[in-house]
Amino acid sequence: MSIDLDTEEWLGCPTPLEMYQHQCALLEDELIQTESMLRKARANVAGLVQMNDLLATGKTTAEAKLRYFEAELSRTNVESSEMAKEIMGLKMIASQNEHLLRENQRLLVELTNLKEPST
């Protein structure tokens, strides 16, 4: 019996060349998957960049509108303040008018009492 038999052929053991070929096939599959993932990642990044541009444009528009409405609000507050001053002035005049009317009525009653002889 010969003990020095070559055991590489036993039980379907691969040769070193077959092992290298198999390793190359695994690496090729991994590279294909990596390329696919890279393409998807690039598409995602491009989508995110586009979304960021849209958001930045929207933000700029919103900030411009905010500045416009802040100025409009400020102008409206000034107008409201001026109207409040006018209203206060008119209320003071109305109050003085009422006071003068009552005083006029009182003096009219006194004058009527003085003209009429007391009986």
Side-chain angles (χ1 to χ4, degrees):
M1 288 218 281
S2 173
I3 299 180
D4 293 331
L5 291 174
D6 190 9
T7 60
E8 289 180 354
E9 300 294 327
W10 289 9
L11 302 173
C13 289
T15 64
L17 178 61
E18 291 173 332
M19 288 192 306
Y20 291 135
Q21 289 173 339
H22 180 67
Q23 184 66 27
C24 285
L26 290 176
L27 288 174
E28 285 179 33
D29 289 342
E30 190 175 329
L31 280 174
I32 291 170
Q33 289 176 355
T34 303
E35 285 176 342
S36 173
M37 290 170 42
L38 182 60
R39 268 197 276 347
K40 288 178 185 177
R42 284 181 178 157
N44 287 341
V45 168
L48 290 173
V49 167
Q50 185 179 12
M51 286 172 52
N52 185 45
D53 290 343
L54 290 173
L55 288 173
T57 303
K59 179 183 175 236
T60 303
T61 303
E63 286 173 342
K65 286 181 181 179
L66 177 64
R67 282 190 297 276
Y68 170 78
F69 285 116
E70 284 175 342
E72 190 68 21
L73 180 62
S74 178
R75 186 187 59 78
T76 304
N77 283 339
V78 169
E79 287 177 5
S80 174
S81 177
E82 289 173 1
M83 285 183 188
K85 288 177 186 177
E86 289 179 23
I87 290 171
M88 288 303 294
L90 291 173
K91 284 183 177 181
M92 286 176 54
I93 291 170
S95 174
Q96 291 171 356
N97 187 23
E98 288 176 23
H99 173 69
L100 291 173
L101 183 62
R102 282 193 304 268
E103 186 65 21
N104 193 17
Q105 291 296 325
R106 185 186 64 76
L107 291 173
L108 186 60
V109 169
E110 283 182 21
L111 184 60
T112 306
N113 288 339
L114 287 176
K115 286 185 180 180
E116 293 179 0
S118 297
T119 7

